[in-house]
């Protein structure tokens, strides 16, 4: 089986991004919180956006309010991402 890497900086594969999305990650920021993908050079963010698509997300309302939507979020990484925004 071929592994297609989305984020070379942290070795995150397309399958991992899809699994995080299936677990409720709706945005690149939430994927970053779950896997660090997109938090170094940022060149993979567009690929992550493409994988996530523009479909509906049952947790998007929480995300839009800035509330965590994934179980076990790394609070430190989430804080760092919020400061960068």
């Amino acid at each position: 089986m071929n592994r297609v890497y989305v984020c070379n900086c942290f070795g995150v594969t397309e399958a991992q991004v899809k699994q995080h999305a299936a677990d409720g990650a709706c945005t690149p920021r939430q994927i970053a919180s779950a896997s660090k993908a997109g938090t170094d050079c940022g060149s993979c963010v567009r690929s992550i956006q493409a994988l996530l698509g523009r479909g509906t997300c049952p947790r998007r309302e929480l995300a839009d309010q800035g509330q965590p939507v994934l179980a076990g979020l790394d609070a430190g990484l989430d804080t760092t991402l919020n400061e960068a925004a």
Side-chain angles (χ1 to χ4, degrees), residues 25-85:
C26 301
T27 65
R29 179 172 284 174
Q30 291 169 352
I31 295 294
S33 293
S35 67
K36 293 187 179 181
T39 62
D40 193 26
C41 78
S43 67
C44 61
V45 174
R46 286 187 188 259
S47 297
I48 292 168
Q49 288 173 326
L51 287 171
L52 294 174
R54 295 191 181 266
T56 60
C57 178
R59 299 179 187 179
R60 186 165 310 276
E61 187 174 314
L62 289 174
D64 290 343
Q65 296 171 3
Q67 297 179 26
V69 295
L70 299 176
L73 281 178
D74 179 355
L77 179 58
D78 193 44
T79 302
T80 301
L81 291 172
N82 286 334
E83 290 172 359

